[in-house]
Amino acid sequence: MTRILHRGRIMEANPHLITAKELADRLGSPDLPIVDASWHLPAQGRDAKAEFAAAHVPGAVFFDHDAVVDPGSTLPHALPSPEGFAAAAGALGVAETDKIVVYDGLGLFSAPRAWWLFRTFGARRVRLLDGGFPAWRAAGLPTESGSAHPLPKTFHPTFDADAVVTLAEMRQHVETGDVAVADARSAERFEGSAPEPRAGVRSGHIPGARSLPFTVLGREGRLKTPAELRAEFERAGIDPAAPVVTSCGSGITAAVINFALASLGNTEARLYDGSWTEWGSAADTPVETGGARQVAAKP
């Protein structure tokens, strides 16, 4: 693992991240597709496609989280079939053997979902742009506008079913309590004190889950240090080295937790793809409300 100097200390570089300078030095490499995986909640009032057309990293393609889904599911962002994902990735000019770089317009929001998807379908060399597009612009690096016109490639998928948790499996985990469940939604949504943004979805959380809002894992669009991440997991009552299932509203920001865990060496964490939209919509799933169950971190 590469070592870097940070504030006078030698630290190990995160193998899942690439800096803006490192990416800028490699622009144009044929095996380095750059994927803008920006996505925004309706309440954020932003249009990811329009923002991509206005400005993006040179050579980047746009990954549409609302389109690369299972067309037969009523759930938002439902996992596509391996064939469906492969067709979408290939059309973007991405092969599973490439050195893929993903980023988003907020820095650490929706890009981890794309990182997780590419890995779940067989790509092994996938990294996030550290700080995302805001860091790229802050560094004064060039951008381009307009539509992307990638040369298609063939993406050969290898689906990792163990990376995904189904509703039936989630029910079993709740019954047995055999795995920690980390909920990436806000503490207010977790507690049930804030309404859900989707109609027909109950408020609250999966019984036994721990609240770990994805926002506490980053700072100004960048992932926190390993020590800070461990402290956040400890406050939530989660052992980052143990088995973990992540969840959120629709499977997008849960992947921020997966990314943080991978950065700490736990690449076996699983993601409940249906997340709270599925659990909270079902008529027969138990729901808890109340406190976020955080514990004090050790000094």
Side-chain angles (χ1 to χ4, degrees):
M1 183 179 290
T2 303
R3 294 179 180 272
I4 58 174
L5 183 65
H6 177 69
R7 295 180 181 177
R9 295 182 297 159
I10 297 295
M11 300 178 64
E12 291 185 339
N14 187 333
H16 302 289
L17 288 172
I18 184 171
T19 68
K21 183 182 184 306
E22 288 172 328
L23 180 58
D25 290 343
R26 302 176 193 179
L27 285 181
S29 299
D31 64 342
L32 187 74
I34 304 168
V35 179
D36 184 325
S38 298
W39 178 84
H40 303 295
L41 291 164
Q44 291 170 312
R46 295 176 60 168
D47 185 330
K49 288 183 181 179
E51 290 182 13
F52 176 85
H56 53 262
V57 173
V61 294
F62 183 76
F63 183 95
D64 190 342
H65 285 283
D66 292 324
V68 187
V69 297
D70 176 2
S73 175
T74 59
L75 296 171
H77 312 127
L79 197 73
S81 67
E83 297 75 20
F85 183 84
L92 292 177
V94 181
E96 82 284 356
T97 54
D98 284 337
K99 300 174 183 177
I100 306 164
V101 176
V102 296
Y103 73 86
D104 66 50
L106 293 176
L108 190 68
F109 183 61
S110 55
R113 170 72 179 193
W115 169 89
W116 178 81
L117 283 169
F118 277 110
R119 288 170 57 88
T120 297
F121 286 108
R124 296 267 61 91
R125 300 188 294 178
V126 192
R127 289 193 283 177
L128 253 64
L129 174 59
D130 190 16
F133 196 49
W136 181 269
R137 303 197 81 158
L141 295 167
T143 63
E144 65 180 16
S145 59
S147 301
H149 302 284
L151 294 175
K153 292 183 181 180
T154 299
F155 188 104
H156 299 281
T158 304
F159 178 52
D160 179 10
D162 288 338
V164 186
V165 173
T166 65
L167 175 60
E169 290 173 319
M170 197 71 247
R171 290 180 190 272
Q172 286 188 317
H173 287 313
V174 170
E175 289 179 5
T176 61
D178 61 339
V179 66
V181 179
D183 191 324
R185 295 175 301 153
S186 69
E188 292 78 13
R189 288 175 66 188
F190 179 90
E191 295 165 357
S193 60
E196 285 298 307
R198 295 179 177 87
V201 180
R202 292 172 289 169
S203 296
H205 58 266
I206 295 170
R210 299 285 182 165
S211 176
L212 185 62
F214 78 93
T215 52
V216 306
L217 301 175
R219 182 184 299 109
E220 297 179 350
R222 297 178 187 270
L223 194 69
K224 287 183 176 178
T225 67
E228 289 173 322
L229 290 176
R230 291 189 183 93
E232 295 297 349
F233 279 101
E234 189 170 316
R235 287 191 188 95
I238 299 170
D239 179 356
V244 178
V245 171
T246 66
S247 180
C248 60
S250 66
I252 296 286
T253 58
V256 178
I257 302 179
N258 292 75
F259 186 78
L261 287 167
S263 299
L264 294 176
N266 183 352
T267 58
E268 304 302 317
R270 308 176 73 200
L271 190 149
Y272 173 30
D273 195 56
S275 281
W276 186 250
T277 298
E278 181 175 53
W279 190 273
S281 298
D284 60 345
T285 49
V287 170
E288 283 186 349
T289 57
R293 300 187 178 203
Q294 288 199 338
V295 297
K298 295 179 181 177

